[in-house]
Amino acid sequence: MTVVAESRAGAAPPAARHGSRAVRMLTRAPINVVLVAVALLWLVPTVGLLVTSFRPTQDYFASGWWRALLHPATLTVTNYRHVLQTGGIKDALFTTALITIPSTLLVVTVASLAGYALVFLRWPGRDTLFVILVALMVVPLQMALIPVATLYGHLGLFGTVAGVVLFHTAFGLPFAIFLMRNFYTGIPKDLLEAARIDGAGELMMFLRIVLPLGRPALASLGIFQFLWVWNDLLVALVFLGGARHVPITVAIFSQLRQFGPNIDLISSASFLSMVVPLVIFFSFQRYFVKGVLAGAVK
């Protein structure tokens, strides 16, 4: 009874707690207003693209897209129907997925294995290799386009989906290994030592201990790689620009080059290309911040 009375006596009254909460809300109000304003400004181009994709061609040339918000009855799905039937967008989406999914899976798999080897295994040249990987992160991919194109010409990979997948995998690995290595350094090595004492092998420890603990970094890395490859235009244009099956970015670029005034069709195709990355991002966003900040203070 005495302990309860003392705890109640030491607790702040409800009025004081509500007052401090109100003060905190008033203090954070300007910051929240600024953040909401910035978020709305960032959303304006996306909203404009979405509205434009539903507007008829004559309305686009007659007035700005914001006028459609006052007359929503004028919006139509004809643009999407036209794009899906005549623009080759369905084939382009399939080709994009055929490039993006293997590139993402290969980078995540190889980076997770390499990160494990760099942190939990001891072998000659480990630190030197890590320094080389960090140095490769600053090499722009534009420098490798001509040499790789020449190499692909000799190997018969130029103009193929496999060549684009290999290119994206190679240039995605340095950052991916750096991210996974930094995240794995935060895993206590005592867990693996205990598993070794119990007779677990390296593969078992990787699959049962390290891989589940590295799920946030893996999800974050997968989001990064997926968005980079899905939205890529330069690499796809260089290696698949003249191919029969091209990714969505090259298909939209060819529409822009051939039918410049048809902004209604281009906006529809562009918004279709945005849907899949948005779904992937919002599906794994809870892991995103934790994975990005992995190893930031180590």
Side-chain angles (χ1 to χ4, degrees):
M1 295 295 293
T2 304
V3 175
V4 174
E6 290 178 354
S7 62
R8 289 180 178 177
R17 291 199 301 269
H18 290 303
S20 61
R21 186 180 303 172
V23 171
R24 288 197 300 269
M25 292 178 62
L26 290 175
T27 304
R28 298 174 181 174
I31 299 177
N32 293 334
V33 170
V34 172
L35 293 177
V36 170
V38 172
L40 292 176
L41 287 175
W42 274 94
L43 286 175
V44 167
T46 304
V47 174
L49 180 66
L50 176 61
V51 175
T52 303
S53 66
F54 286 101
R55 300 189 73 195
T57 306
Q58 61 273 15
D59 291 349
Y60 169 78
F61 290 104
S63 61
W65 62 266
W66 52 89
R67 297 294 183 88
L69 300 177
L70 302 176
H71 306 283
T74 60
L75 301 179
T76 177
V77 296
T78 305
N79 299 333
Y80 286 94
R81 189 181 299 113
H82 188 192
V83 167
L84 292 175
Q85 291 177 353
T86 63
I89 299 300
K90 290 188 293 185
D91 294 337
L93 288 173
F94 178 76
T95 304
T96 306
L98 201 61
I99 295 172
T100 305
I101 295 175
S103 300
T104 303
L105 293 178
L106 282 173
V107 167
V108 171
T109 303
V110 175
S112 58
L113 290 170
Y116 178 87
L118 289 171
V119 175
F120 299 108
L121 300 180
R122 295 188 177 275
W123 40 277
R126 182 183 64 173
D127 296 335
T128 302
L129 179 60
F130 179 69
V131 172
I132 295 175
L133 289 172
V134 174
L136 288 175
M137 291 173 57
V138 302
V139 177
L141 62 85
Q142 291 84 352
M143 294 180 58
L145 289 176
I146 295 178
V148 173
T150 304
L151 178 63
Y152 280 2
H154 294 300
L155 298 177
L157 292 174
F158 191 86
T160 63
V161 171
V164 180
V165 170
L166 291 176
F167 190 94
H168 283 300
T169 302
F171 273 87
L173 279 176
F175 171 77
I177 295 174
F178 175 79
L179 178 66
M180 297 307 302
R181 185 259 184 192
N182 282 357
F183 189 89
Y184 286 163
T185 54
I187 298 177
K189 293 182 174 59
D190 295 340
L191 292 176
L192 276 75
E193 293 298 332
R196 286 193 179 96
I197 293 175
D198 292 338
E202 299 295 338
L203 182 60
M204 182 66 66
M205 290 187 293
F206 173 76
L207 295 176
R208 296 293 182 88
I209 300 176
V210 176
L211 202 59
L213 293 176
R215 190 178 302 167
L218 291 173
S220 179
L221 175 60
I223 291 174
F224 271 126
Q225 182 67 14
F226 190 94
L227 294 180
W228 285 335
V229 179
W230 185 276
N231 296 322
D232 170 71
L233 172 63
L234 179 61
V235 176
L237 192 61
V238 170
F239 295 109
L240 292 177
R244 180 180 177 183
H245 299 287
V246 295
I248 185 69
T249 52
V250 179
I252 295 175
F253 175 76
S254 62
Q255 290 273 347
L256 178 64
R257 185 173 53 186
Q258 296 176 6
F259 310 105
N262 292 347
I263 192 64
D264 51 337
L265 301 181
I266 296 171
S267 61
S268 304
S270 299
F271 198 81
L272 283 175
S273 70
M274 293 171 54
V275 171
V276 176
L278 287 175
V279 171
I280 295 297
F281 178 79
F282 286 113
S283 300
F284 297 97
Q285 64 174 339
R286 60 175 178 170
Y287 300 111
F288 187 72
V289 175
K290 187 176 180 180
V292 170
L293 297 180
V297 295
K298 294 181 175 63

